[in-house]
Amino acid sequence: MQEVAVDAELTFRDPARARALSARLEEEVHALGRDPVTVMHVCGSHEQAIARFGLRAAFPEGLDVIMGPGCPVCVTDVPEVDEAVALARSGIRVSTYGDMLRVRGTVQSLGDARADGAKVDVVYGVSQAVALAREIREPVVFFASGFETTAVATAAALLDDPPANFSVLSAHKYIPPVMEIVAEMPGAKVEGFLAAGHAATITGYGVFEPFVERHRMPVVVAGFEPLDVLAGLLELVRAIRSGVPKVVNTYPRCVTREGNRRAQELLWRVFRPIGGRWRGIAHVPNGNLRLRDDFADFDARRRFDIDVSSLWDYAPPKLVQKCQCGDIMAGIASPTDCELFGKECTSDAPVGACMVSSEGTCKIWLTYGGHPDLRNIRRRAS
């Protein structure tokens, strides 16, 4: 393992340093003597930083940086959304994050159900849902999505004596197992992973060491400022060039090998990992987080009889059948490969989950201009 300090002076948007990192990145890619070099980041926040700051224009030709299944809303599977919709349609009050409101299940989204009269509340976090349950007498179900970072918050709420009328419908996911699936996916050309710094703050970078050992593929933990991303990619290409698989931590100001042990204790005290499907990806062993038996009284799946059979009378809309979100989240396709992108599927009228969430690749690309034509940009610059 190697730790790399990006900037001791905590300056992350210095154009001169960005240009220097970009030049070194180009040297490393050129030294490899082949292209494309394909790497994947597994976090919507990384894609936001890349698109928002126009970093792809600073990437050298021959380096293909693709986004994987790093949006928790996008990978929430259709049956999980169906469960939440069925609960809401049965008269149970459901609270959830704003992005999740627009994600469609088999037939409806929670937003659709609310338009039909169901009780659906948008909250900023689990604590707001708990407060709502304390305020009113009726049952409140928190439809909980997100990776280990938000799962810790849900765990903390359940350990803090929530009211008896509060329960959780967990759609939480755990990132490390899905990296195994992507690495082994037929057609995938990923040579290394850029791991999310905030998730590693919880898990520690040591969690990636078994993956590197098994797949002989480097993993670099990186932050989300422009220089963080460039420095992380530089170390990732260096690791690929060296031929020695390893974990590199370029985010030492926040991430340690052990991670946040208190947060891990909360997480695994409340949740257990089980296998389950991720939307568009596959069945992911140990990729879903479900409440342990000790918290059965707060588990909406055990408390309520969730009947989704009434939703099966409908067929998915034809546009949904054309959506390529699954291939996009697996890194096999880009948003522009989808015939719906920016046409039938927009931020105002999303068809697929990748266009709904602020961390979805399609929405990010549509918002910030997506994948620029690097050759045209360089010609204009020169």
Side-chain angles (χ1 to χ4, degrees):
M1 214 298 304
Q2 175 185 354
E3 288 193 353
V4 178
V6 174
D7 189 333
E9 298 178 0
L10 298 179
T11 301
F12 305 108
R13 300 183 186 182
D14 184 325
R17 294 185 181 187
R19 284 193 291 271
L21 281 170
S22 178
R24 289 159 64 190
L25 184 57
E26 185 165 7
E27 290 172 5
E28 289 291 336
V29 171
H30 182 73
L32 268 169
R34 59 179 173 81
D35 65 67
V37 179
T38 303
V39 299
M40 173 181 281
H41 64 76
V42 286
C43 181
S45 297
H46 275 150
E47 186 62 33
Q48 284 180 333
I50 289 169
R52 179 184 176 194
F53 294 103
L55 292 182
R56 278 201 169 81
F59 296 165
E61 290 181 43
L63 176 64
D64 195 5
V65 181
I66 59 177
M67 177 174 170
C71 169
V73 171
C74 300
V75 297
T76 300
D77 203 12
V78 169
E80 293 172 317
V81 177
D82 284 348
E83 288 180 310
V85 170
L87 268 178
R89 285 162 54 112
S90 71
I92 304 296
R93 184 176 289 274
V94 174
S95 59
T96 192
Y97 299 110
D99 281 352
M100 188 56 77
L101 202 70
R102 304 175 70 194
V103 177
R104 184 184 291 274
T106 301
V107 177
Q108 280 195 322
S109 66
L110 280 171
D112 295 330
R114 185 166 73 171
D116 287 346
K119 299 174 184 176
V120 180
D121 303 294
V122 173
V123 294
Y124 292 104
V126 62
S127 59
Q128 194 176 357
V130 171
L132 178 64
R134 291 191 193 283
E135 182 181 332
I136 62 178
R137 298 284 183 178
E138 63 184 293
V140 173
V141 174
F142 178 55
F143 184 34
S145 63
F147 300 126
E148 45 268 39
T149 44
T150 50
V152 169
T154 304
L158 290 176
L159 290 168
D160 192 27
D161 192 24
N165 61 332
F166 176 76
S167 59
V168 171
L169 180 65
S170 175
H172 283 305
K173 312 287 186 191
Y174 187 50
I175 278 284
V178 80
M179 290 172 59
E180 307 265 0
I181 297 295
V182 173
E184 297 171 357
M185 191 170 284
K189 299 177 181 178
V190 178
E191 298 176 65
F193 285 91
L194 199 68
H198 49 25
T201 301
I202 302 293
T203 62
Y205 62 73
V207 75
F208 300 114
E209 291 171 352
F211 171 86
V212 170
E213 182 67 26
R214 274 194 294 274
H215 296 281
R216 312 299 295 166
M217 189 180 291
V219 173
V220 173
V221 177
F224 305 97
E225 292 289 346
L227 295 189
D228 284 326
V229 175
L230 288 169
L233 290 173
L234 176 60
E235 292 303 323
L236 190 52
V237 175
R238 279 176 171 168
I240 294 169
R241 185 186 169 201
S242 74
V244 180
K246 56 187 174 183
V247 181
V248 181
N249 178 23
T250 63
Y251 202 34
R253 64 185 187 276
C254 295
V255 175
T256 64
R257 184 178 185 280
E258 295 76 20
N260 185 328
R261 290 183 173 175
R262 174 59 177 156
Q264 292 170 33
E265 179 189 345
L266 298 179
L267 178 67
W268 298 123
R269 188 173 160 193
V270 172
F271 290 102
R272 61 187 172 89
I274 67 168
R277 288 196 60 83
W278 291 37
R279 184 191 291 248
I281 304 294
H283 178 90
V284 180
N286 296 321
N288 287 359
L289 298 176
R290 294 292 184 263
L291 297 181
R292 292 187 180 277
D293 291 344
D294 290 347
F295 298 89
D297 290 344
F298 297 103
D299 189 338
R301 289 189 176 89
R302 303 192 197 193
R303 177 178 285 191
F304 302 104
D305 180 18
I306 305 176
D307 181 8
V308 300
S309 60
S310 64
L311 307 178
W312 297 345
D313 295 335
Y314 302 87
K318 290 183 178 178
L319 279 180
V320 174
Q321 297 176 37
K322 295 180 180 178
C323 174
Q324 288 190 253
C325 277
D327 287 345
I328 292 167
M329 286 185 284
I332 297 172
S334 293
T336 48
D337 294 328
C338 179
E339 62 179 283
L340 307 181
F341 179 72
K343 300 171 186 170
E344 292 91 345
C345 184
T346 65
S347 299
D348 292 333
V351 175
C354 292
M355 187 60 85
V356 171
S357 170
S358 59
E359 293 193 351
T361 312
C362 293
K363 182 166 184 177
I364 294 170
W365 279 42
L366 196 64
T367 301
Y368 294 105
H371 199 311
D373 185 330
L374 303 185
R375 294 181 182 180
N376 286 340
I377 286 176
R378 285 185 176 143
R379 274 200 292 271
R380 288 199 297 270
S382 61

